[in-house]
Amino acid sequence: MLRIESLGADPVERFAYRTATGSGGIAEVQLPVYVGQMTSLPSSVDALIVTSDLQGMMRTADGKDVMLGERLPDDLSVLIGIEWPDIAPDRVGVLLCGDLYGDLRRGGSGDPTGVWLAFGETFRWVVGVAGNHDLMADAEKRELSRRSNICLIDRPGIAEFGGAAWGGLGGVIGRPDKPNRMAEADYLQALRKLLHKQPHALLLHQSPDVPERGCAGSPEIRAVLESGPEALVFCGHSHWNDPLACLPGGTQVLNVDAKVCIFTR
């Protein structure tokens, strides 16, 4: 099992992008990048990027608007080259926790395939799950599956990929007739099964809550995580100011909603 040994309290970098506001406007905000250390990284990589909820747009040098997640891999590659000049992009793995589609509509949904491909073209491998705003038809899923270094965990399960076993449970608890949603009982049962299979790490989109720290999320998910075996959980969906929390029983939860964390050995 992977374990986070440390995570810096302050970002080492921030990338500007534009996103929709709750009032219907557009704001320029900052995507923070944190760095830390992790034990038991897969032997295929020397660094691991974890991110989610890249719901915004960036402007390229020639003035073109692209999804935040389409431009971000290039910026992260440059940053890694500066911070860790001995780590090449083909020694970097990526974990994506959903809601990668970006536009300038509040709560907009759409196809994030371009984000997956951009990360796959820049780094060694990419593993992840979909968020509730990610809408991919079967053709787009097949396109990703044809890439030997990309693994979308489309249904709850374990994927052996990149030298590790990754548990994946995308979407959120909600009405099952809507995209990327599961009935609460089915979601929690899937989560229990994944935890007891003890993957190296578990990728969720929806986060647990941690009320004593003021971290929003699902109390039902937290209850399952607290009652299961010790795990490392990556998630997003609900914004936390402090990315890392440790639950009773030792489970670590890293929430990467609208942020990036980079780990080395």
Side-chain angles (χ1 to χ4, degrees), residues 111 113 117 138-147 150:
D111 177 17
T113 301
L117 295 175
D138 290 342
E140 282 73 42
K141 293 176 182 178
R142 285 194 296 270
E143 181 178 4
L144 295 184
S145 70
R146 288 193 290 266
R147 305 295 177 117
I150 294 178

Side-chain angles (χ1 to χ4, degrees), residues 212-229:
E212 63 271 21
R213 295 185 53 189
C215 297
S218 164
E220 293 79 16
I221 292 175
R222 171 176 47 83
V224 171
L225 295 178
E226 289 181 349
S227 64

Side-chain angles (χ1 to χ4, degrees), residues 54-247:
L54 304 176
Q55 295 169 288
M57 304 289 286
M58 285 181 115
R59 185 159 289 166
T60 62
D62 58 3
K64 180 183 177 182
D65 281 330
V66 298
M67 288 188 286
L68 167 60
E70 291 178 307
R71 165 75 184 271
L72 184 60
D74 282 344
D75 290 338
L76 291 176
S77 180
V78 171
L79 177 64
I80 289 170
I82 295 170
E83 296 285 338
W84 302 281
D86 294 334
I87 297 180
D90 67 355
R91 294 292 299 172
V92 179
V94 180
L95 301 178
L96 301 175
C97 293
D99 277 359
L100 307 175
Y101 174 75
D103 65 15
L104 297 179
R105 299 173 296 152
R106 181 69 173 176
S109 297
D111 177 17
T113 301
V115 175
W116 283 84
L117 295 175
F119 274 103
E121 289 165 1
T122 307
F123 300 110
R124 185 174 186 117
W125 49 252
V126 185
V127 181
V129 297
N132 52 301
H133 291 289
D134 295 331
L135 304 179
M136 281 183 280
D138 290 342
E140 282 73 42
K141 293 176 182 178
R142 285 194 296 270
E143 181 178 4
L144 295 184
S145 70
R146 288 193 290 266
R147 305 295 177 117
S148 62
N149 70 329
I150 294 178
C151 178
L152 167 64
I153 306 176
D154 191 34
R155 291 183 172 84
I158 304 289
E160 300 278 349
F161 198 83
W166 309 102
L169 177 53
V172 297
I173 296 170
R175 286 173 42 188
D177 60 325
K178 299 183 70 176
N180 297 327
R181 288 163 175 80
M182 294 176 65
E184 181 180 288
D186 294 336
Y187 185 102
L188 297 178
Q189 180 65 7
L191 178 56
R192 291 187 191 96
K193 289 180 178 179
L194 288 174
L195 284 170
H196 283 281
K197 291 179 180 179
Q198 296 188 295
H200 287 88
L202 178 58
L203 311 182
L204 307 179
H205 176 60
Q206 189 169 7
S207 71
D209 72 344
V210 187
E212 63 271 21
R213 295 185 53 189
C215 297
S218 164
E220 293 79 16
I221 292 175
R222 171 176 47 83
V224 171
L225 295 178
E226 289 181 349
S227 64
E230 182 180 313
L232 173 59
V233 178
F234 300 114
C235 60
H237 189 63
S238 298
H239 189 73
W240 294 5
N241 290 328
D242 297 320
L244 183 62
C246 190
L247 303 181

